[in-house]
């Protein structure tokens, strides 16, 4: 029997009746989130993968019943199961990855984006969202390039897509300039794996990878590498990193930029992790030289407290983005564009695109630069405090002082097998989520502090958990 039109309307999130349909469901979701978090009782569900799988199967099956359970029961059951089985980055002992606890205001804005569901591939699908994206991207690009008249940025799904776009733009710029040799990419061994993957996807030669035994790209080694490459017109892209995934280290950006100028190489900086230091008056100096990059990757679902996805690629001038121009008559016909309808298709390699910019715009407006800068400073200060605690313990070794908010440490004298065993034991017990990082000195436990509300007592307890799990 067909569902009456009036009943169908009550199922939709948009339109004038949408908020009325959503409101009671939000109460159900919020109750399920709270109940699930209580069920979990810590940063990670205990028992390991098999135990989690059993609990999810019990809640989710049958996945496609013949007759549905109804919205509220389905929401409560599955949201509770998801929360109970989550690695919750809001828990101070969940510090393994660059996976932030999102701000409530950003999550609320994300609900509005989902309810309205604009698609940013044509103006007639996203009239207001397209304009908001343009304004917000340009405002963030001005943080990176404050002295340029026309900086711009593209919204991406994260640092990986931003890095891929940067390599694509460099390749196309070289072709436009008449280069006949393929683009050569030079990066440090500390560069994000997405740089190598992007080169593969774009059918470029594998990047020339410079060893980074100190964790950062050495300008002297970079000079030697660039000096051995053929000069112009053979195109070269140097990739530097401002906040490595493993240690949070920041490459020496000014001398790297100087070398790029000297050797006529293009510079891309992957600041997916470190970019939000720009919000802070006291920490932004760590990114001196960032404005000299032709392309810069940013990612606010790391140190920006946004729900994923919230990436950007910033450029000093919107003309850099010209190679992305594309025409599809049903989305950006010539006569529509000539009549003044904005062309959104060249703002991404994707077609259908959700308005991830809304949560970013709401957060920027709600907190302002200083408010976000304060959160960045709090997270970085907590990481420094954790390093102090580790340094004071004779049974623990500290890798280095944190450059941003990542701290590497391990039990004193522990071999890689012992370090890995400590991490897995804490994961199985659901008591702490620590990452792992391999440097030239071996394997380390990794704590990436992204919760700005982490207290000294939380950090002391985390250190005690590692000490208590060490054979």
């Amino acid at each position: 029997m067909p569902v009456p039109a009036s009943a169908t309307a009550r199922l939709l999130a948009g339109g004038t009746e949408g908020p009325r349909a959503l409101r009671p469901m939000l109460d159900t979701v919020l109750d399920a989130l709270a109940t699930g978090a209580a069920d979990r009782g810590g940063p990670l569900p205990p028992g390991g993968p098999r135990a989690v799988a059993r609990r999810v199967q019990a809640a989710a099956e049958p996945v496609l019943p013949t007759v549905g359970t109804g919205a509220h029961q389905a929401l409560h059951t599955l949201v509770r199961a998801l929360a109970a089985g989550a690695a919750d980055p809001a828990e101070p002992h969940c510090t393994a990855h660059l996976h932030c606890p999102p701000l409530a205001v950003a999550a609320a804005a994300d609900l509005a984006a989902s309810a309205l569901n604009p698609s940013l591939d044509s103006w007639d699908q996203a009239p207001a969202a397209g304009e908001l994206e343009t304004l917000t991207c340009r405002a963030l690009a001005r943080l990176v390039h404050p002295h340029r008249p026309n900086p711009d940025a593209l919204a991406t799904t994260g640092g990986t897509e931003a890095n891929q776009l940067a390599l694509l733009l460099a390749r196309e710029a070289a072709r436009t300039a008449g280069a006949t040799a393929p683009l050569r990419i030079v990066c440090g061994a500390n560069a994000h794996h997405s740089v190598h993957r992007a080169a593969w996807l774009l059918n470029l030669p594998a990047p020339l990878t410079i060893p980074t035994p100190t964790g950062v790209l050495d300008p002297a080694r970079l000079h030697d590498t660039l000096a051995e490459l053929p000069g112009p017109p053979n195109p070269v892209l140097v990739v530097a990193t401002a906040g490595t995934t493993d240690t949070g280290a920041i490459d020496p950006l000014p001398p790297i930029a100087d070398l790029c100028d000297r050797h006529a190489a293009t510079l891309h900086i992957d600041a997916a992790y470190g970019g939000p230091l720009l919000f802070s008056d006291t920490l932004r100096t760590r990114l001196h030289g960032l404005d000299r990059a032709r392309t810069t990757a940013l990612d606010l679902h790391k140190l920006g407290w946004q729900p994923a996805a919230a990436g950007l690629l910033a450029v000093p001038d919107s003309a850099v983005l010209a190679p992305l121009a594309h025409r599809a008559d049903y989305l950006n016909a010539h006569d529509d564009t000539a009549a003044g309808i904005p062309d959104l298709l060249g703002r991404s390699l994707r077609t259908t695109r959700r308005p991830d910019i809304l949560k970013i715009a709401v957060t920027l407006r709600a907190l302002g630069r200083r408010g976000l800068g304060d959160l960045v400073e709090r997270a970085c200060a907590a990481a420094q405090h954790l390093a102090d605690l580790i340094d004071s313990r004779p049974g623990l070794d500290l890798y280095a002082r944190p450059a941003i908010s990542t701290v590497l440490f391990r039990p004193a004298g522990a071999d890689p097998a012992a370090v890995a065993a400590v991490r897995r034991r804490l994961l199985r017990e659901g008591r702490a989520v620590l990452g792992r990082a391999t440097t030239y000195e071996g394997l380390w436990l990794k704590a990436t502090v992204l919760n700005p509300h982490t207290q000294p007592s939380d950090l002391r307890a985390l250190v005690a958990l590692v000490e208590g799990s060490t054979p």
Side-chain angles (χ1 to χ4, degrees), residues 332-357:
N332 60 348
H334 283 288
D335 55 322
D336 281 348
T337 304
I341 294 180
D343 177 2
L344 303 183
L345 197 56
R347 304 285 301 176
S348 177
L349 292 180
R350 293 170 283 150
T351 304
T352 301
R353 220 162 36 88
R354 76 187 303 271
D356 287 315
I357 206 68

Side-chain angles (χ1 to χ4, degrees), residues 2 151 178 287 307 313 334 341 386 399 420 431:
L287 297 181
L313 180 73
H334 283 288
I341 294 180
L386 176 58
Y399 170 72
R431 295 195 294 165

Side-chain angles (χ1 to χ4, degrees), residues 50 103 106 194 210 281 325 342 379:
R50 290 184 179 179
L103 292 163
S194 62
I210 300 172
D281 290 329

Side-chain angles (χ1 to χ4, degrees), residues 130-147:
E131 181 65 19
L132 184 63
E133 181 180 75
T134 298
L135 293 171
T136 306
C137 284
R138 289 177 179 169
L140 290 168
R142 282 193 292 273
L143 275 180
V144 181
H145 299 286
H147 306 300

Side-chain angles (χ1 to χ4, degrees), residues 4-17:
S6 59
T8 303
R10 290 194 294 271
L11 297 176
L12 301 180
T16 57
E17 294 299 312

